Amino acid sequence: MTNEFEIAAGRAAPVGATFDGDGVNFAVFSEHAHRMTLCLFDDQGEKEVARIDLPERDGDVWHGYVPGLRPGQLYGYRAHGPYQPAEGHRFNPNKLLIDPYAKRLTGHPDWSDALMGYDVASKRGDLSFDTRDSAPCMPKSVVVDPAFSWGEGVSPDRAIADTVIYEAHVKGMTMRHPDAAPQGTFLGLSSEPMLDHLVKLGITAIELLPSQAFLNDRFLVEKGLTNYWGYQTLGFFAPDPRYLHEGDIAEFQAMVARFHAAGIEVLMDVVYNHTCEGSELGPTLAFRGLDNRSYYRLAEDPRFYINDTGTGNTLNVDHPMVLRMVMDSLRYWAEIMHVDGFRFDLCSTLGRTDAGFDRGAAFFDAIRQDPTLARTKLIAEPWDIGPGGYQLGAFPPPFLEWNDRFRDGIRRFWRGDPGMTPDLADRLTGSALQFDHSGRPATASVNFIAAHDGFTLRDVVSYNEKHNEANGEENADGHSENFSDNMGEEGETGDEAVNAARARRRRNMMATLLLAQGTPMILAGDEVGHTQGGNNNAYCQDNETSWIDWESADDAFLQFTRRLIAFRKKHPVLRQKLFLHSRERALDGKEDLFWRRADGDPMREDDWNDPELKLLCVELRTASGTPPYAALEYALFAVFNAGPEADVVVPGTPEGQKWCVHLDTAEPNREPAKIESGTLSVAADSVVLLVLETPE
């Protein structure tokens, strides 16, 4: 090892490794370190060629400038300071540390006891000190120049009201697609066959499961499994290396550019509530070794961590420099990588203060005032496992929120659970009880029937019980209450009647999702009938359990879903920002929302309180100043029937207009047909949708 490299003072900002054309400025935060050493490696990352102490410290940012270094240089840090776990300090200069601001990593850690800051064989546990060098087991940070030629491409910048989200896994989308190449990568996800599928489907935004660099947990590796979902972040600025075909971050930028050219926005599922270092018994990879006491929220006994996330640690976004890192990361993805929005995993954690959850917490205030981030789409997962962690509806504008009550309520209604009709009405109108406050729009509710965590839509109608044995936890993991219904037989079956009933139930739930006020989200693969064999916690299944089987696609359901999305886009009454409350409209002073019984009479309190009521009719009526309904009454009438066949009285029509049936889940191939006002026969377990039209 030599120290022939020159180093100058450099500057404290920006944090990270910044190439300026002549050399690289290195800046890293640590409040409690005594010394910070920059380690440089050869091109293979195998030989440490230099150790250079950063010469300057401005506040708590250590920095130095090395002339002559170029993009592609491999590096890491060793932080010197007290190893006093009982005081919250876990410095160990024997451990090579990833730069938290690294924009590219060479790979993933190779599991070894040397990654631990303590001696795993010692009876003193994490109070002991390990002297082995972890560098041979560690990925290296890479200096990059993130400049990219975006050309004239711009973000589609779609209104929230016009958004249809598609939650997808980079690898799961492409590994079994015969024409998507290279498979399992950002480039494969944005290949022409994938874009063609998504454009024809009609989605407007793809939400990627975690794509920032993440860790394969040791307990999974030892069982021959892997962290497939990616909710264990290793680096908040680096795309995960496994999704890069040739290791260049420009591949991510190229993916975004391709999606934008196709009119599709890119949203990222991001995990800022914790890191992959786990509890006090976890590895020392970056944050713990740089400044454990600053990066993490520690318990009253600072040897241990507050664990509101269930992962062993909680990131301390109350600390200004940790909050700055999160904000810098978000701005990097938005400004440099051109990402259009973010879904925040366990977002309640980001709003926690010493007094509990606070919708005015520093994180929310910072992101709302930021001129870049305030323009992006922001989606909260409104819960964590800590005390008071369930906060559905409590987030400040402009956040949208995942609405698990929509998921559960719609599943239960179509399963036939008693007393669910009032809940259906609330879900159809944007879950106003949760969201109609503080000036929030109806679009604040992100509605979904299925997501990565849980059953797929096909499995919701195929399994009564979870089947997670392949996860190696004796089927003890995953939710036990799925509100699912196997329709008479558990799992796959050759019974045509059961399969027909399942197909209709899937159509009913997809129709309910896309006819409801709010922002719809579809799980990738649901549109083609993907099954995980009843596994409702496939976080470790990087195989055909989770990879979408495109060759076995349910083409009929795909066509049905396409029609539904197209219908939603055509009819703005289904995607309004204002909540519908059976109140007068500004345009013509008439009511816009009517709840009706099958006999045509308005719903009464006794009807709403009837636990056996399984049929609900709703009329949405408005005046529109836009074609094709300018100066005409414009109305939709929908029937949601989870009970037996019924005759439904159709509302009267203005002179010169008639109702036209556009959707009938009992007859999915039915062509639109005009009917006279009167009585309509609605099949059991079905959705029927009518549009008020003017005959030609």
Side-chain angles (χ1 to χ4, degrees), residues 403 406 423-436 440-447 515-519 576-581 595:
N403 188 351
F406 184 98
D423 187 83
L424 172 67
D426 187 37
R427 304 308 157 207
L428 288 173
T429 50
S431 299
L433 292 176
Q434 283 75 39
F435 295 104
D436 191 10
R440 303 187 74 183
T443 51
S445 174
V446 176
N447 302 330
L515 297 178
Q517 304 293 327
T519 303
Q576 301 186 81
K577 290 180 64 178
L578 296 178
F579 285 91
L580 304 175
H581 286 304
W595 300 109

PDB file of all heavy atoms in Angstrom, residues 403 406 423-436 440-447 515-519 576-581 595:
ATOM      1  N   ASN A 403     -54.212   2.741   0.907  1.00  0.00           N
ATOM      2  CA  ASN A 403     -55.433   2.554   1.683  1.00  0.00           C
ATOM      3  C   ASN A 403     -55.732   1.066   1.829  1.00  0.00           C
ATOM      4  O   ASN A 403     -56.398   0.470   0.987  1.00  0.00           O
ATOM      5  CB  ASN A 403     -56.588   3.284   0.994  1.00  0.00           C
ATOM      6  CG  ASN A 403     -57.842   3.297   1.844  1.00  0.00           C
ATOM      7  OD1 ASN A 403     -57.923   2.635   2.877  1.00  0.00           O
ATOM      8  ND2 ASN A 403     -58.834   4.054   1.403  1.00  0.00           N
ATOM      9  N   PHE A 406     -59.426   0.022   1.882  1.00  0.00           N
ATOM     10  CA  PHE A 406     -60.043  -0.243   0.580  1.00  0.00           C
ATOM     11  C   PHE A 406     -59.824  -1.699   0.211  1.00  0.00           C
ATOM     12  O   PHE A 406     -60.765  -2.414  -0.134  1.00  0.00           O
ATOM     13  CB  PHE A 406     -59.449   0.680  -0.486  1.00  0.00           C
ATOM     14  CG  PHE A 406     -60.092   0.537  -1.840  1.00  0.00           C
ATOM     15  CD1 PHE A 406     -61.073   1.413  -2.243  1.00  0.00           C
ATOM     16  CD2 PHE A 406     -59.732  -0.492  -2.709  1.00  0.00           C
ATOM     17  CE1 PHE A 406     -61.684   1.286  -3.490  1.00  0.00           C
ATOM     18  CE2 PHE A 406     -60.335  -0.646  -3.944  1.00  0.00           C
ATOM     19  CZ  PHE A 406     -61.315   0.250  -4.340  1.00  0.00           C
ATOM     20  N   ASP A 423     -69.524   0.077   3.903  1.00  0.00           N
ATOM     21  CA  ASP A 423     -68.091   0.223   3.677  1.00  0.00           C
ATOM     22  C   ASP A 423     -67.794   0.357   2.188  1.00  0.00           C
ATOM     23  O   ASP A 423     -66.961   1.168   1.770  1.00  0.00           O
ATOM     24  CB  ASP A 423     -67.345  -0.973   4.265  1.00  0.00           C
ATOM     25  CG  ASP A 423     -65.834  -0.793   4.218  1.00  0.00           C
ATOM     26  OD1 ASP A 423     -65.290  -0.138   5.123  1.00  0.00           O
ATOM     27  OD2 ASP A 423     -65.205  -1.281   3.258  1.00  0.00           O
ATOM     28  N   LEU A 424     -68.486  -0.432   1.361  1.00  0.00           N
ATOM     29  CA  LEU A 424     -68.311  -0.329  -0.084  1.00  0.00           C
ATOM     30  C   LEU A 424     -68.625   1.085  -0.556  1.00  0.00           C
ATOM     31  O   LEU A 424     -67.880   1.664  -1.367  1.00  0.00           O
ATOM     32  CB  LEU A 424     -69.217  -1.331  -0.806  1.00  0.00           C
ATOM     33  CG  LEU A 424     -69.274  -1.192  -2.337  1.00  0.00           C
ATOM     34  CD1 LEU A 424     -67.929  -1.539  -2.954  1.00  0.00           C
ATOM     35  CD2 LEU A 424     -70.380  -2.063  -2.915  1.00  0.00           C
ATOM     36  N   ALA A 425     -69.699   1.653  -0.053  1.00  0.00           N
ATOM     37  CA  ALA A 425     -70.077   3.005  -0.463  1.00  0.00           C
ATOM     38  C   ALA A 425     -68.981   4.007  -0.124  1.00  0.00           C
ATOM     39  O   ALA A 425     -68.656   4.904  -0.920  1.00  0.00           O
ATOM     40  CB  ALA A 425     -71.394   3.401   0.210  1.00  0.00           C
ATOM     41  N   ASP A 426     -68.385   3.870   1.058  1.00  0.00           N
ATOM     42  CA  ASP A 426     -67.315   4.782   1.459  1.00  0.00           C
ATOM     43  C   ASP A 426     -66.097   4.618   0.561  1.00  0.00           C
ATOM     44  O   ASP A 426     -65.477   5.607   0.147  1.00  0.00           O
ATOM     45  CB  ASP A 426     -66.941   4.528   2.921  1.00  0.00           C
ATOM     46  CG  ASP A 426     -65.950   5.554   3.446  1.00  0.00           C
ATOM     47  OD1 ASP A 426     -66.064   6.737   3.075  1.00  0.00           O
ATOM     48  OD2 ASP A 426     -65.060   5.166   4.222  1.00  0.00           O
ATOM     49  N   ARG A 427     -65.762   3.377   0.228  1.00  0.00           N
ATOM     50  CA  ARG A 427     -64.590   3.142  -0.623  1.00  0.00           C
ATOM     51  C   ARG A 427     -64.819   3.658  -2.042  1.00  0.00           C
ATOM     52  O   ARG A 427     -63.896   4.182  -2.677  1.00  0.00           O
ATOM     53  CB  ARG A 427     -64.244   1.647  -0.652  1.00  0.00           C
ATOM     54  CG  ARG A 427     -64.013   1.024   0.702  1.00  0.00           C
ATOM     55  CD  ARG A 427     -63.013   1.775   1.559  1.00  0.00           C
ATOM     56  NE  ARG A 427     -63.212   1.484   2.975  1.00  0.00           N
ATOM     57  CZ  ARG A 427     -62.902   2.303   3.969  1.00  0.00           C
ATOM     58  NH1 ARG A 427     -62.370   3.483   3.714  1.00  0.00           N
ATOM     59  NH2 ARG A 427     -63.124   1.964   5.213  1.00  0.00           N
ATOM     60  N   LEU A 428     -66.036   3.514  -2.544  1.00  0.00           N
ATOM     61  CA  LEU A 428     -66.323   3.979  -3.900  1.00  0.00           C
ATOM     62  C   LEU A 428     -66.207   5.495  -4.028  1.00  0.00           C
ATOM     63  O   LEU A 428     -65.975   6.018  -5.124  1.00  0.00           O
ATOM     64  CB  LEU A 428     -67.737   3.542  -4.315  1.00  0.00           C
ATOM     65  CG  LEU A 428     -67.938   2.052  -4.599  1.00  0.00           C
ATOM     66  CD1 LEU A 428     -69.420   1.761  -4.822  1.00  0.00           C
ATOM     67  CD2 LEU A 428     -67.118   1.596  -5.793  1.00  0.00           C
ATOM     68  N   THR A 429     -66.378   6.206  -2.927  1.00  0.00           N
ATOM     69  CA  THR A 429     -66.364   7.670  -2.962  1.00  0.00           C
ATOM     70  C   THR A 429     -65.099   8.246  -2.345  1.00  0.00           C
ATOM     71  O   THR A 429     -65.087   9.376  -1.855  1.00  0.00           O
ATOM     72  CB  THR A 429     -67.606   8.230  -2.260  1.00  0.00           C
ATOM     73  OG1 THR A 429     -67.749   7.619  -0.967  1.00  0.00           O
ATOM     74  CG2 THR A 429     -68.854   7.956  -3.074  1.00  0.00           C
ATOM     75  N   GLY A 430     -63.992   7.492  -2.361  1.00  0.00           N
ATOM     76  CA  GLY A 430     -62.703   8.039  -1.974  1.00  0.00           C
ATOM     77  C   GLY A 430     -62.360   7.919  -0.508  1.00  0.00           C
ATOM     78  O   GLY A 430     -61.446   8.607  -0.037  1.00  0.00           O
ATOM     79  N   SER A 431     -63.095   7.083   0.241  1.00  0.00           N
ATOM     80  CA  SER A 431     -62.821   6.910   1.677  1.00  0.00           C
ATOM     81  C   SER A 431     -62.804   8.252   2.393  1.00  0.00           C
ATOM     82  O   SER A 431     -61.848   8.633   3.069  1.00  0.00           O
ATOM     83  CB  SER A 431     -61.495   6.161   1.893  1.00  0.00           C
ATOM     84  OG  SER A 431     -61.536   4.870   1.331  1.00  0.00           O
ATOM     85  N   ALA A 432     -63.910   8.973   2.248  1.00  0.00           N
ATOM     86  CA  ALA A 432     -63.996  10.329   2.786  1.00  0.00           C
ATOM     87  C   ALA A 432     -63.807  10.372   4.289  1.00  0.00           C
ATOM     88  O   ALA A 432     -63.285  11.349   4.835  1.00  0.00           O
ATOM     89  CB  ALA A 432     -65.337  10.953   2.399  1.00  0.00           C
ATOM     90  N   LEU A 433     -64.237   9.336   4.999  1.00  0.00           N
ATOM     91  CA  LEU A 433     -64.081   9.335   6.454  1.00  0.00           C
ATOM     92  C   LEU A 433     -62.619   9.479   6.853  1.00  0.00           C
ATOM     93  O   LEU A 433     -62.308  10.057   7.893  1.00  0.00           O
ATOM     94  CB  LEU A 433     -64.665   8.049   7.051  1.00  0.00           C
ATOM     95  CG  LEU A 433     -66.184   7.904   6.968  1.00  0.00           C
ATOM     96  CD1 LEU A 433     -66.602   6.536   7.498  1.00  0.00           C
ATOM     97  CD2 LEU A 433     -66.884   9.014   7.744  1.00  0.00           C
ATOM     98  N   GLN A 434     -61.719   8.950   6.041  1.00  0.00           N
ATOM     99  CA  GLN A 434     -60.293   9.039   6.342  1.00  0.00           C
ATOM    100  C   GLN A 434     -59.636  10.275   5.727  1.00  0.00           C
ATOM    101  O   GLN A 434     -58.734  10.865   6.317  1.00  0.00           O
ATOM    102  CB  GLN A 434     -59.552   7.786   5.834  1.00  0.00           C
ATOM    103  CG  GLN A 434     -59.710   6.546   6.685  1.00  0.00           C
ATOM    104  CD  GLN A 434     -61.065   5.900   6.522  1.00  0.00           C
ATOM    105  OE1 GLN A 434     -61.605   5.832   5.419  1.00  0.00           O
ATOM    106  NE2 GLN A 434     -61.641   5.419   7.618  1.00  0.00           N
ATOM    107  N   PHE A 435     -60.089  10.691   4.549  1.00  0.00           N
ATOM    108  CA  PHE A 435     -59.293  11.647   3.771  1.00  0.00           C
ATOM    109  C   PHE A 435     -59.935  13.013   3.539  1.00  0.00           C
ATOM    110  O   PHE A 435     -59.238  13.939   3.111  1.00  0.00           O
ATOM    111  CB  PHE A 435     -58.938  11.024   2.412  1.00  0.00           C
ATOM    112  CG  PHE A 435     -58.052   9.824   2.510  1.00  0.00           C
ATOM    113  CD1 PHE A 435     -58.557   8.544   2.347  1.00  0.00           C
ATOM    114  CD2 PHE A 435     -56.702   9.968   2.783  1.00  0.00           C
ATOM    115  CE1 PHE A 435     -57.723   7.429   2.444  1.00  0.00           C
ATOM    116  CE2 PHE A 435     -55.863   8.866   2.881  1.00  0.00           C
ATOM    117  CZ  PHE A 435     -56.387   7.598   2.718  1.00  0.00           C
ATOM    118  N   ASP A 436     -61.227  13.156   3.787  1.00  0.00           N
ATOM    119  CA  ASP A 436     -61.874  14.427   3.470  1.00  0.00           C
ATOM    120  C   ASP A 436     -61.683  15.432   4.603  1.00  0.00           C
ATOM    121  O   ASP A 436     -62.594  15.716   5.382  1.00  0.00           O
ATOM    122  CB  ASP A 436     -63.359  14.209   3.193  1.00  0.00           C
ATOM    123  CG  ASP A 436     -64.012  15.460   2.607  1.00  0.00           C
ATOM    124  OD1 ASP A 436     -63.264  16.395   2.251  1.00  0.00           O
ATOM    125  OD2 ASP A 436     -65.257  15.501   2.523  1.00  0.00           O
ATOM    126  N   ARG A 440     -57.615  17.982   1.587  1.00  0.00           N
ATOM    127  CA  ARG A 440     -57.096  16.852   0.800  1.00  0.00           C
ATOM    128  C   ARG A 440     -58.109  16.423  -0.253  1.00  0.00           C
ATOM    129  O   ARG A 440     -59.320  16.411  -0.010  1.00  0.00           O
ATOM    130  CB  ARG A 440     -56.756  15.670   1.724  1.00  0.00           C
ATOM    131  CG  ARG A 440     -55.770  16.028   2.811  1.00  0.00           C
ATOM    132  CD  ARG A 440     -55.339  14.815   3.597  1.00  0.00           C
ATOM    133  NE  ARG A 440     -54.424  13.989   2.835  1.00  0.00           N
ATOM    134  CZ  ARG A 440     -53.932  12.827   3.268  1.00  0.00           C
ATOM    135  NH1 ARG A 440     -54.300  12.352   4.453  1.00  0.00           N
ATOM    136  NH2 ARG A 440     -53.090  12.139   2.537  1.00  0.00           N
ATOM    137  N   PRO A 441     -57.641  16.032  -1.431  1.00  0.00           N
ATOM    138  CA  PRO A 441     -58.549  15.611  -2.502  1.00  0.00           C
ATOM    139  C   PRO A 441     -58.920  14.136  -2.362  1.00  0.00           C
ATOM    140  O   PRO A 441     -58.291  13.371  -1.619  1.00  0.00           O
ATOM    141  CB  PRO A 441     -57.710  15.837  -3.757  1.00  0.00           C
ATOM    142  CG  PRO A 441     -56.301  15.588  -3.290  1.00  0.00           C
ATOM    143  CD  PRO A 441     -56.245  16.097  -1.880  1.00  0.00           C
ATOM    144  N   ALA A 442     -59.935  13.734  -3.121  1.00  0.00           N
ATOM    145  CA  ALA A 442     -60.335  12.326  -3.128  1.00  0.00           C
ATOM    146  C   ALA A 442     -59.238  11.430  -3.667  1.00  0.00           C
ATOM    147  O   ALA A 442     -59.185  10.236  -3.357  1.00  0.00           O
ATOM    148  CB  ALA A 442     -61.613  12.159  -3.952  1.00  0.00           C
ATOM    149  N   THR A 443     -58.351  11.997  -4.470  1.00  0.00           N
ATOM    150  CA  THR A 443     -57.247  11.222  -5.038  1.00  0.00           C
ATOM    151  C   THR A 443     -56.194  10.865  -4.001  1.00  0.00           C
ATOM    152  O   THR A 443     -55.265  10.114  -4.304  1.00  0.00           O
ATOM    153  CB  THR A 443     -56.585  12.021  -6.170  1.00  0.00           C
ATOM    154  OG1 THR A 443     -56.271  13.337  -5.692  1.00  0.00           O
ATOM    155  CG2 THR A 443     -57.508  12.135  -7.374  1.00  0.00           C
ATOM    156  N   ALA A 444     -56.304  11.373  -2.767  1.00  0.00           N
ATOM    157  CA  ALA A 444     -55.322  11.059  -1.727  1.00  0.00           C
ATOM    158  C   ALA A 444     -55.327   9.580  -1.360  1.00  0.00           C
ATOM    159  O   ALA A 444     -54.333   9.054  -0.865  1.00  0.00           O
ATOM    160  CB  ALA A 444     -55.582  11.900  -0.474  1.00  0.00           C
ATOM    161  N   SER A 445     -56.445   8.902  -1.601  1.00  0.00           N
ATOM    162  CA  SER A 445     -56.543   7.477  -1.308  1.00  0.00           C
ATOM    163  C   SER A 445     -55.991   6.662  -2.471  1.00  0.00           C
ATOM    164  O   SER A 445     -56.543   6.688  -3.576  1.00  0.00           O
ATOM    165  CB  SER A 445     -57.996   7.081  -1.054  1.00  0.00           C
ATOM    166  OG  SER A 445     -58.125   5.683  -0.899  1.00  0.00           O
ATOM    167  N   VAL A 446     -54.876   5.949  -2.232  1.00  0.00           N
ATOM    168  CA  VAL A 446     -54.361   5.009  -3.235  1.00  0.00           C
ATOM    169  C   VAL A 446     -55.076   3.685  -3.014  1.00  0.00           C
ATOM    170  O   VAL A 446     -54.852   2.987  -2.025  1.00  0.00           O
ATOM    171  CB  VAL A 446     -52.839   4.839  -3.124  1.00  0.00           C
ATOM    172  CG1 VAL A 446     -52.347   3.778  -4.102  1.00  0.00           C
ATOM    173  CG2 VAL A 446     -52.134   6.167  -3.386  1.00  0.00           C
ATOM    174  N   ASN A 447     -55.983   3.377  -3.922  1.00  0.00           N
ATOM    175  CA  ASN A 447     -56.817   2.193  -3.807  1.00  0.00           C
ATOM    176  C   ASN A 447     -56.146   0.990  -4.452  1.00  0.00           C
ATOM    177  O   ASN A 447     -55.584   1.112  -5.535  1.00  0.00           O
ATOM    178  CB  ASN A 447     -58.163   2.428  -4.491  1.00  0.00           C
ATOM    179  CG  ASN A 447     -58.914   3.619  -3.913  1.00  0.00           C
ATOM    180  OD1 ASN A 447     -58.784   3.940  -2.735  1.00  0.00           O
ATOM    181  ND2 ASN A 447     -59.711   4.275  -4.740  1.00  0.00           N
ATOM    182  N   LEU A 515     -63.562   1.726 -10.851  1.00  0.00           N
ATOM    183  CA  LEU A 515     -64.741   2.588 -10.861  1.00  0.00           C
ATOM    184  C   LEU A 515     -64.821   3.455  -9.612  1.00  0.00           C
ATOM    185  O   LEU A 515     -65.723   4.283  -9.490  1.00  0.00           O
ATOM    186  CB  LEU A 515     -66.019   1.746 -10.987  1.00  0.00           C
ATOM    187  CG  LEU A 515     -66.177   0.939 -12.273  1.00  0.00           C
ATOM    188  CD1 LEU A 515     -67.458   0.122 -12.243  1.00  0.00           C
ATOM    189  CD2 LEU A 515     -66.153   1.855 -13.499  1.00  0.00           C
ATOM    190  N   ALA A 516     -63.873   3.289  -8.690  1.00  0.00           N
ATOM    191  CA  ALA A 516     -63.900   4.014  -7.418  1.00  0.00           C
ATOM    192  C   ALA A 516     -63.158   5.336  -7.529  1.00  0.00           C
ATOM    193  O   ALA A 516     -62.175   5.460  -8.269  1.00  0.00           O
ATOM    194  CB  ALA A 516     -63.298   3.153  -6.313  1.00  0.00           C
ATOM    195  N   GLN A 517     -63.624   6.344  -6.779  1.00  0.00           N
ATOM    196  CA  GLN A 517     -62.881   7.582  -6.633  1.00  0.00           C
ATOM    197  C   GLN A 517     -61.572   7.282  -5.899  1.00  0.00           C
ATOM    198  O   GLN A 517     -61.519   6.413  -5.037  1.00  0.00           O
ATOM    199  CB  GLN A 517     -63.690   8.615  -5.851  1.00  0.00           C
ATOM    200  CG  GLN A 517     -65.053   8.928  -6.437  1.00  0.00           C
ATOM    201  CD  GLN A 517     -64.981   9.638  -7.779  1.00  0.00           C
ATOM    202  OE1 GLN A 517     -64.075  10.419  -8.024  1.00  0.00           O
ATOM    203  NE2 GLN A 517     -65.940   9.368  -8.654  1.00  0.00           N
ATOM    204  N   GLY A 518     -60.533   8.036  -6.193  1.00  0.00           N
ATOM    205  CA  GLY A 518     -59.227   7.783  -5.609  1.00  0.00           C
ATOM    206  C   GLY A 518     -58.214   7.514  -6.709  1.00  0.00           C
ATOM    207  O   GLY A 518     -58.495   7.689  -7.908  1.00  0.00           O
ATOM    208  N   THR A 519     -57.039   7.078  -6.316  1.00  0.00           N
ATOM    209  CA  THR A 519     -55.963   6.778  -7.266  1.00  0.00           C
ATOM    210  C   THR A 519     -55.756   5.268  -7.310  1.00  0.00           C
ATOM    211  O   THR A 519     -55.308   4.675  -6.325  1.00  0.00           O
ATOM    212  CB  THR A 519     -54.654   7.467  -6.847  1.00  0.00           C
ATOM    213  OG1 THR A 519     -54.876   8.875  -6.743  1.00  0.00           O
ATOM    214  CG2 THR A 519     -53.552   7.194  -7.861  1.00  0.00           C
ATOM    215  N   GLN A 576     -62.541  12.341 -10.002  1.00  0.00           N
ATOM    216  CA  GLN A 576     -62.644  13.719  -9.550  1.00  0.00           C
ATOM    217  C   GLN A 576     -61.747  13.974  -8.342  1.00  0.00           C
ATOM    218  O   GLN A 576     -61.498  13.086  -7.538  1.00  0.00           O
ATOM    219  CB  GLN A 576     -64.092  14.043  -9.189  1.00  0.00           C
ATOM    220  CG  GLN A 576     -65.056  13.866 -10.349  1.00  0.00           C
ATOM    221  CD  GLN A 576     -66.441  14.339 -10.006  1.00  0.00           C
ATOM    222  OE1 GLN A 576     -66.731  15.520 -10.056  1.00  0.00           O
ATOM    223  NE2 GLN A 576     -67.297  13.401  -9.649  1.00  0.00           N
ATOM    224  N   LYS A 577     -61.306  15.201  -8.202  1.00  0.00           N
ATOM    225  CA  LYS A 577     -60.529  15.591  -7.025  1.00  0.00           C
ATOM    226  C   LYS A 577     -61.442  15.878  -5.841  1.00  0.00           C
ATOM    227  O   LYS A 577     -61.071  15.626  -4.694  1.00  0.00           O
ATOM    228  CB  LYS A 577     -59.696  16.837  -7.337  1.00  0.00           C
ATOM    229  CG  LYS A 577     -58.540  16.602  -8.294  1.00  0.00           C
ATOM    230  CD  LYS A 577     -57.777  17.873  -8.538  1.00  0.00           C
ATOM    231  CE  LYS A 577     -57.114  18.371  -7.257  1.00  0.00           C
ATOM    232  NZ  LYS A 577     -56.307  19.599  -7.507  1.00  0.00           N
ATOM    233  N   LEU A 578     -62.637  16.417  -6.118  1.00  0.00           N
ATOM    234  CA  LEU A 578     -63.549  16.744  -5.036  1.00  0.00           C
ATOM    235  C   LEU A 578     -64.300  15.506  -4.581  1.00  0.00           C
ATOM    236  O   LEU A 578     -64.673  14.645  -5.391  1.00  0.00           O
ATOM    237  CB  LEU A 578     -64.542  17.813  -5.492  1.00  0.00           C
ATOM    238  CG  LEU A 578     -63.954  19.184  -5.854  1.00  0.00           C
ATOM    239  CD1 LEU A 578     -65.059  20.115  -6.331  1.00  0.00           C
ATOM    240  CD2 LEU A 578     -63.226  19.779  -4.664  1.00  0.00           C
ATOM    241  N   PHE A 579     -64.541  15.411  -3.289  1.00  0.00           N
ATOM    242  CA  PHE A 579     -65.324  14.309  -2.750  1.00  0.00           C
ATOM    243  C   PHE A 579     -66.795  14.486  -3.130  1.00  0.00           C
ATOM    244  O   PHE A 579     -67.311  15.611  -3.198  1.00  0.00           O
ATOM    245  CB  PHE A 579     -65.192  14.250  -1.227  1.00  0.00           C
ATOM    246  CG  PHE A 579     -63.868  13.705  -0.771  1.00  0.00           C
ATOM    247  CD1 PHE A 579     -62.805  14.568  -0.531  1.00  0.00           C
ATOM    248  CD2 PHE A 579     -63.687  12.352  -0.573  1.00  0.00           C
ATOM    249  CE1 PHE A 579     -61.576  14.080  -0.117  1.00  0.00           C
ATOM    250  CE2 PHE A 579     -62.463  11.853  -0.164  1.00  0.00           C
ATOM    251  CZ  PHE A 579     -61.403  12.706   0.072  1.00  0.00           C
ATOM    252  N   LEU A 580     -67.468  13.379  -3.386  1.00  0.00           N
ATOM    253  CA  LEU A 580     -68.887  13.376  -3.710  1.00  0.00           C
ATOM    254  C   LEU A 580     -69.670  13.113  -2.434  1.00  0.00           C
ATOM    255  O   LEU A 580     -69.460  12.105  -1.763  1.00  0.00           O
ATOM    256  CB  LEU A 580     -69.188  12.293  -4.753  1.00  0.00           C
ATOM    257  CG  LEU A 580     -68.386  12.386  -6.058  1.00  0.00           C
ATOM    258  CD1 LEU A 580     -68.700  11.189  -6.953  1.00  0.00           C
ATOM    259  CD2 LEU A 580     -68.694  13.681  -6.780  1.00  0.00           C
ATOM    260  N   HIS A 581     -70.601  14.025  -2.098  1.00  0.00           N
ATOM    261  CA  HIS A 581     -71.347  13.880  -0.847  1.00  0.00           C
ATOM    262  C   HIS A 581     -72.832  14.139  -1.034  1.00  0.00           C
ATOM    263  O   HIS A 581     -73.475  14.706  -0.150  1.00  0.00           O
ATOM    264  CB  HIS A 581     -70.805  14.862   0.197  1.00  0.00           C
ATOM    265  CG  HIS A 581     -69.481  14.472   0.755  1.00  0.00           C
ATOM    266  ND1 HIS A 581     -69.245  13.266   1.357  1.00  0.00           N
ATOM    267  CD2 HIS A 581     -68.307  15.139   0.799  1.00  0.00           C
ATOM    268  CE1 HIS A 581     -67.989  13.204   1.764  1.00  0.00           C
ATOM    269  NE2 HIS A 581     -67.387  14.330   1.424  1.00  0.00           N
ATOM    270  N   TRP A 595     -77.504   7.275  -3.884  1.00  0.00           N
ATOM    271  CA  TRP A 595     -77.458   5.866  -3.499  1.00  0.00           C
ATOM    272  C   TRP A 595     -78.877   5.309  -3.609  1.00  0.00           C
ATOM    273  O   TRP A 595     -79.818   5.880  -3.043  1.00  0.00           O
ATOM    274  CB  TRP A 595     -76.956   5.702  -2.071  1.00  0.00           C
ATOM    275  CG  TRP A 595     -75.568   6.239  -1.854  1.00  0.00           C
ATOM    276  CD1 TRP A 595     -75.217   7.342  -1.155  1.00  0.00           C
ATOM    277  CD2 TRP A 595     -74.347   5.680  -2.344  1.00  0.00           C
ATOM    278  NE1 TRP A 595     -73.866   7.537  -1.173  1.00  0.00           N
ATOM    279  CE2 TRP A 595     -73.294   6.518  -1.896  1.00  0.00           C
ATOM    280  CE3 TRP A 595     -74.034   4.566  -3.122  1.00  0.00           C
ATOM    281  CZ2 TRP A 595     -71.960   6.274  -2.200  1.00  0.00           C
ATOM    282  CZ3 TRP A 595     -72.705   4.331  -3.420  1.00  0.00           C
ATOM    283  CH2 TRP A 595     -71.689   5.168  -2.956  1.00  0.00           C
TER     284      TRP A 595
END
